[in-house]
């Protein structure tokens, strides 16, 4: 099978992260829209079918056996959106609706990333090499640090914050159903102090902070503390891994200078890059009532694994001009009541960094290496430099 040039490194990243599970996952894509796999559950490979499952919160839930609730409730507590359903979920979601508006997130990222973006732009302008992986770790740590309410830190401090979250997420593989007691204890040792800081920020009631805004929106301290932990675990690594992969896809497909020259292409490039990299390669649901998934009968307690990566990659290799059909639209962020609440913040952060990098075009990639032992496939290093102008 011929692999498109822009996809060769993407395949390498997935194989480095999941050398056994990834070939199995891709092999299942050829078995039809839905297939039952012993020991795994019912695997969904079709975007339209995946959207149906995600929109049916009564049948397919996040709080049953084999669901995200099994993974994260022992770590984050019972009151975070990613492990809730029903009226309790709807009530908390309503409170948080206005937390991350596009206008607010744009202002937040412009303010807290001003200094690291200026450093990044300066290094590129001088023709110096930049490891975009390390730069994104610092910036992702900076943003989530401000969300939680941490006092200002230097680059090393924010880098360390990111690495703490990375170590927790790395405990999860594509096959993990629940964390062991020792893993839960390790995660709590990181998250409990951060929760204390978030609680202090909440108590201060400063509407200029995200935690203060949560208090103003009517969240309890426990809800705000749980939300801070969820944002820390689910938002930082997703954003940090996306930007180097976006720039790699644009570079490898020969589209980088085209997007750099036309700012209106940045959002389509982001959407297409996210389709290819699929920031959330799988999503889990637990069956609550008897039903069928793509003709496959399921019973209460069955596990449904939505192979988001298979759903998205069914539309071919990276193609900047591909028009995404309605069933595919931002499927990697979920759908319906569980669509990612932090989506506006993630996009504001990614746009800010991507614009800074693209402003330095033309660029060349001088070194890259795939990361191993991670949940979300990524580069361990991705070094870029501005090309000398002739």
């Amino acid at each position: 099978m011929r692999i498109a040039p822009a996809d060769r490194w993407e395949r390498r990243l997935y194989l480095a992260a999941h050398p056994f599970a990834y070939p199995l996952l891709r092999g299942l894509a050829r078995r039809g829209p839905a297939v039952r796999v012993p020991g795994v559950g019912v695997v969904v490979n079709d975007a339209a079918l995946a959207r149906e499952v995600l929109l049916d919160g009564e049948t397919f839930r996040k709080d049953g056996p084999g669901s995200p609730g099994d993974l994260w409730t022992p770590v984050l507590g019972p009151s975070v959106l990613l492990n809730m359903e029903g009226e309790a979920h709807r009530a908390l979601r309503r409170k948080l609706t206005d937390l991350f508006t596009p206008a607010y997130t744009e202002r937040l990222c412009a303010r807290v990333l001003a200094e690291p973006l200026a450093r990044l732009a300066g290094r590129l302008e001088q023709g110096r090499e930049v490891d975009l992986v390390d730069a994104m770790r610092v910036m992702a740590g900076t943003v989530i640090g401000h969300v939680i309410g941490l006092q200002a830190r230097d680059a090393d401090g924010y880098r360390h914050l990111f690495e703490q979250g990375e170590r927790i997420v790395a405990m999860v593989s594509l096959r993990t159903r629940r964390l062991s007691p020792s893993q839960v204890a390790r995660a709590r040792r990181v998250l409990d102090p951060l929760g204390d800081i978030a609680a202090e920020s909440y108590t201060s009631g400063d509407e200029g902070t995200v935690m203060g805004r949560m208090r103003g929106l009517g969240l309890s301290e426990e809800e705000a503390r749980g939300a801070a932990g969820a944002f820390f675990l689910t938002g930082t690594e997703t954003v940090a891994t996306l930007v180097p992969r976006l720039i790699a896809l644009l570079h490898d497909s020969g589209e980088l200078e085209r997007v750099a020259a036309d700012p209106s292409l940045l959002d389509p490039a982001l959407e297409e890059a996210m389709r290819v990299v699929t920031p959330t390669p799988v999503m889990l649901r637990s069956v609550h009532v008897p039903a069928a998934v793509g003709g496959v009968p399921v019973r209460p307690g069955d596990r449904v694994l939505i192979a988001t990566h298979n759903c998205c990659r069914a539309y071919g290799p990276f193609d900047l001009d591909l028009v995404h059909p309605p069933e595919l639209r931002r499927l990697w962020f979920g759908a319906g009541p569980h669509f990612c609440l932090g989506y506006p913040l993630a996009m504001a952060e990614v746009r800010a960094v991507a614009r800074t990098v693209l402003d330095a075009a033309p660029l060349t990639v001088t070194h890259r290496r795939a990361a191993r032992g991670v949940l979300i496939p990524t580069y361990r290093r991705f070094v870029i430099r501005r090309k000398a102008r002739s």
Side-chain angles (χ1 to χ4, degrees), residues 80-375:
V80 291
L81 291 174
L82 54 80
N83 61 358
M84 298 173 67
E85 292 289 358
E87 182 52 40
H89 175 268
R90 288 189 288 272
L92 182 55
R93 182 89 188 193
R94 282 194 295 270
K95 291 179 184 178
L96 289 166
T97 297
D98 294 328
L99 182 63
F100 290 130
T101 63
Y104 174 77
T105 56
E106 291 283 350
R107 291 196 303 272
L108 174 67
C109 288
R111 175 170 55 85
V112 305
L113 292 180
E115 184 177 333
L117 286 176
R119 287 199 303 269
L120 173 62
R123 287 181 64 89
L124 290 171
E125 178 66 28
Q126 295 161 16
R128 300 167 68 187
E129 289 190 335
V130 170
D131 181 358
L132 200 51
V133 171
D134 183 67
M136 280 308 305
R137 286 167 168 248
V138 173
M139 285 188 268
T142 300
V143 171
I144 199 63
H146 281 78
V147 167
I148 293 172
L150 291 174
Q151 297 299 315
R153 297 184 173 190
D154 59 14
D156 284 341
Y158 287 124
R159 188 181 291 111
H160 176 66
L161 179 65
F162 176 89
E163 290 168 353
Q164 286 181 298
E166 184 182 42
R167 282 194 290 271
I168 296 174
V169 175
M171 293 189 294
V172 179
S173 74
L174 295 180
R175 295 171 295 174
T176 304
R177 286 179 175 264
R178 57 181 59 86
L179 299 178
S180 69
S182 63
Q183 288 175 321
V184 170
R186 281 158 52 197
R188 293 299 297 263
R189 282 196 293 271
V190 172
L191 291 173
D192 285 350
L194 295 179
D196 293 341
I197 293 168
E200 290 176 11
S201 182
Y202 170 93
T203 301
S204 73
D206 182 358
E207 288 277 338
T209 67
V210 173
M211 301 307 299
R213 293 184 77 222
M214 287 189 194
R215 181 173 181 173
L217 292 171
L219 273 75
S220 68
E221 181 176 316
E222 181 185 9
E223 289 171 334
R225 184 176 181 135
F231 295 149
F232 176 68
L233 286 183
T234 62
T236 18
E237 196 168 358
T238 302
V239 172
T241 58
L242 175 59
V243 174
R245 293 167 77 183
L246 162 70
I247 299 302
L249 284 168
L250 292 175
H251 173 275
D252 297 345
S253 64
E255 298 280 21
L256 192 146
E257 292 184 32
R258 177 186 170 197
V259 177
D262 184 353
S264 70
L265 291 176
L266 178 56
D267 276 1
L270 282 171
E271 295 290 330
E272 176 60 0
M274 285 188 286
R275 178 188 72 83
V276 171
V277 309
T278 324
T280 309
V282 300
M283 299 180 189
L284 302 176
R285 292 295 186 271
S286 179
V287 178
H288 187 58
V289 297
V293 180
V296 179
V298 291
R299 302 177 299 276
D302 277 355
R303 187 191 200 209
V304 175
L305 187 150
I306 298 170
T308 326
H309 186 69
N310 289 346
C311 297
C312 295
R313 291 311 308 263
Y315 294 85
F318 181 83
D319 180 358
L320 185 56
D321 298 312
L322 177 70
V323 177
H324 292 189
E327 66 271 17
L328 187 62
R329 182 173 171 79
R330 295 172 187 159
L331 187 65
W332 43 88
F333 279 113
H338 285 286
F339 184 81
C340 178
L341 184 75
Y343 166 76
L345 179 62
M347 295 308 296
E349 187 176 345
V350 170
R351 284 192 196 100
V353 183
R355 288 191 196 108
T356 301
V357 173
L358 292 170
D359 283 347
L363 299 166
T364 186
V365 178
T366 62
H367 177 77
R368 57 176 129 180
R369 178 161 53 95
R372 300 183 182 278
V374 293
L375 176 62

